[in-house]
Amino acid sequence: MRTLRRALARTTALAAALLCASGSWAAGASDGVVKIGILNDQSGVYADFGGRGSVEAAKMAVEDFGGQVLGAPIQIVDADHQNKPDIASNIARQWYDTDKVDAIMELTTSSVALAVQGLSHEKKKITIVDGAATTDLTGKQCTPYGFHWAYDTHALAVGTGGSLVETGGDTWFFLTADYAFGTALQADTTKYVEAKGGKVLGSVRHPLSAQDFSSFLLQAQGSGAKIIGLANAGLDTSNSIKQAAEFGIVQGGQRLAALLFTLAEVHGIGLKTAQGIVLTEGYYWDLDDRSRDFAKRYMARFGRMPSMIQAGTYSSVTHYLKAVRAAGTDETEAVAKAMRDLPVDDFFGRGGKVQANGRMVHDMYLFQVKSPAESKGPWDYYKLLATIPGDKAFLSAKDSGCPLTQ
């Protein structure tokens, strides 16, 4: 009888221990691991814009966080969506249904980001967009689980568009990428140009990954506009600028406004071609000691300085993990609430805050590309013209058009 009682006691203790462990698991990482997917363009027009560099930044964030949260390991998975919403949605669906991915981030290309954010809403999963720009993500297509981090078309319009109109660039012609991002960027910049008293003389759309911009540039040149606004990004912007130089457009008195132009593209075309271009970014490696510290470590492992998108990916992964830790679980509702409640204060988002519509508000910066003579060494490409306070750069939740905040 005594032996039976001891056996029953051991069985009861084991059951209690398993019950506690089960409760702890449910309150922590739902399947014993926190898995983050980095989904972006790794082989196409935006490969340098974010690409493998964003994957590396995400891995750095995980390592700096300690490699685990709530006692569970953190894993990064990644894939190339090839700038195609259907491919991106299929990857995201498999990640959620089969691979148990908890959140998807980066999401370069606005059409892709909108598609994956919509699917994630259906699946009740978190997305954080770093690489796409359309304000619709936190506007009319906002969701309770969608967040927008590094920049958006409104911030670019306020920065680059506003500064050029104020310095005399009051007539514009747009070269616009023919998809959601280009349309949004042109629309937001047009509003800001016209609000400042400027006028848009015309526009032309070009396909994504265009190789020949000659006919588009000739239309822009013929318009007589003081500013040719490049509402595109990545290699499309680089090719536009290089071919504009061949046509002597800047020498002829017109100016180029690269509305989305990052350090990666400046590096790609060189200072001789890019010099003098005014642009808006959310990060630059040489802003201060905190920026330089991250950039130095990133350079050591990836061989180049980080772009705004790559730095933003590090910041968004870190904030997500902090939210998981603060919530005590990776359950979506709790983490989404914690993401909105927690402040953002890192080398990327100094004094940042997440609005009710999911928009992370932080300062943006207006830069001018240095001439070769002004540059003191490799990657010394920008001079700071102005800091744009976050509340000016980004729409408020109330004004965003997000149904959740009306």
Side-chain angles (χ1 to χ4, degrees):
M1 182 65 69
R2 188 178 303 165
T3 301
L4 178 59
R5 284 198 298 268
R6 283 199 297 266
L8 287 171
R10 285 197 297 270
T11 301
T12 302
L14 178 58
L18 288 172
L19 183 62
C20 289
S22 174
S24 174
W25 192 9
S30 55
D31 54 1
V33 62
V34 174
K35 192 175 291 188
I36 298 169
I38 304 299
L39 185 56
N40 61 5
D41 176 9
Q42 299 181 12
S43 59
V45 66
Y46 301 135
D48 287 340
F49 185 72
R52 297 298 308 172
S54 290
V55 178
E56 200 64 34
K59 291 178 178 178
M60 284 181 66
V62 170
E63 291 169 16
D64 289 348
F65 201 80
Q68 60 178 6
V69 61
L70 305 179
I74 306 162
Q75 292 182 8
I76 297 292
V77 296
D78 69 273
D80 182 352
H81 59 48
Q82 302 174 48
N83 295 311
K84 296 178 180 178
D86 57 338
I87 291 177
S89 296
N90 287 338
I91 293 169
R93 192 178 299 276
Q94 178 177 325
W95 276 359
Y96 290 148
D97 293 347
T98 304
D99 301 332
K100 307 303 180 186
V101 168
D102 297 291
I104 297 178
M105 304 183 195
E106 220 271 44
L107 292 169
T108 304
T109 313
S110 291
S111 54
V112 163
L114 289 167
V116 174
Q117 181 170 281
L119 173 66
S120 301
H121 185 201
E122 173 192 324
K123 297 289 186 179
K124 202 174 178 181
K125 297 286 188 177
I126 285 174
T127 55
I128 309 180
V129 176
D130 297 286
T134 179
T135 52
D136 283 351
L137 287 159
T138 50
K140 63 184 180 181
Q141 296 193 47
C142 70
T143 79
Y145 319 121
F147 298 86
H148 202 175
W149 218 252
Y151 72 108
D152 64 24
T153 53
H154 185 270
L156 300 178
V158 169
T160 308
S163 70
L164 289 172
V165 174
E166 289 168 1
T167 56
D170 56 0
T171 56
W172 286 62
F173 186 97
F174 288 96
L175 264 68
T176 302
D178 192 13
Y179 73 104
F181 153 70
T183 301
L185 184 52
Q186 178 181 328
D188 282 347
T189 307
T190 295
K191 289 177 185 176
Y192 212 78
V193 167
E194 292 178 345
K196 291 282 184 177
K199 185 177 181 181
V200 175
L201 303 183
S203 65
V204 62
R205 295 181 181 276
H206 69 79
L208 182 66
S209 304
Q211 298 299 312
D212 184 2
F213 286 85
S214 58
S215 64
F216 311 125
L217 289 166
L218 286 171
Q219 291 182 61
Q221 191 175 37
S223 74
K226 295 177 183 178
I227 305 294
I228 299 174
L230 304 177
N232 50 21
L235 287 177
D236 282 340
T237 302
S238 297
N239 289 333
S240 300
I241 293 171
K242 287 188 287 189
Q243 291 177 38
E246 295 170 5
F247 280 97
I249 286 177
V250 174
Q251 293 89 330
Q254 292 174 296
R255 298 181 67 184
L256 300 177
L259 295 168
L260 178 50
F261 199 45
T262 72
L263 195 71
E265 289 79 58
V266 174
H267 184 72
I269 67 176
L271 291 181
K272 183 178 179 181
T273 302
Q275 62 182 309
I277 289 176
V278 174
L279 55 94
T280 302
E281 290 222 52
Y283 167 85
Y284 177 51
W285 71 268
D286 203 20
L287 269 178
D288 58 21
D289 287 342
R290 294 172 79 183
S291 298
R292 285 187 285 270
D293 175 68
F294 171 72
K296 182 179 179 181
R297 294 190 299 116
Y298 184 91
M299 180 76 167
R301 60 192 288 162
F302 197 64
R304 58 191 298 143
M305 288 298 182
S307 72
M308 167 178 64
I309 311 307
Q310 292 149 355
T313 299
Y314 178 101
S315 175
S316 61
V317 169
T318 300
H319 190 75
Y320 172 77
L321 294 173
K322 287 180 177 178
V324 171
R325 183 173 62 194
T329 176
D330 62 359
E331 191 274 326
T332 297
E333 295 280 2
V335 175
K337 182 180 184 303
M339 286 186 65
R340 289 177 169 86
D341 290 344
L342 290 173
V344 181
D345 190 14
D346 55 25
F347 69 87
F348 182 86
R350 297 164 181 79
K353 59 185 178 184
V354 180
Q355 297 183 148
N357 62 342
R359 173 69 257 175
M360 197 277 276
V361 173
H362 59 99
D363 291 348
M364 297 289 287
Y365 306 96
L366 186 68
F367 296 108
Q368 186 171 29
V369 179
K370 292 182 176 181
S371 68
E374 292 173 312
S375 178
K376 297 177 182 178
W379 298 96
D380 179 28
Y381 295 160
Y382 292 169
K383 49 187 175 185
L384 180 64
L385 299 181
T387 299
I388 307 164
D391 289 341
K392 180 180 179 183
F394 298 99
L395 288 166
S396 68
K398 179 181 177 182
D399 295 331
S400 67
C402 172
L404 301 174
T405 63
Q406 303 305 305

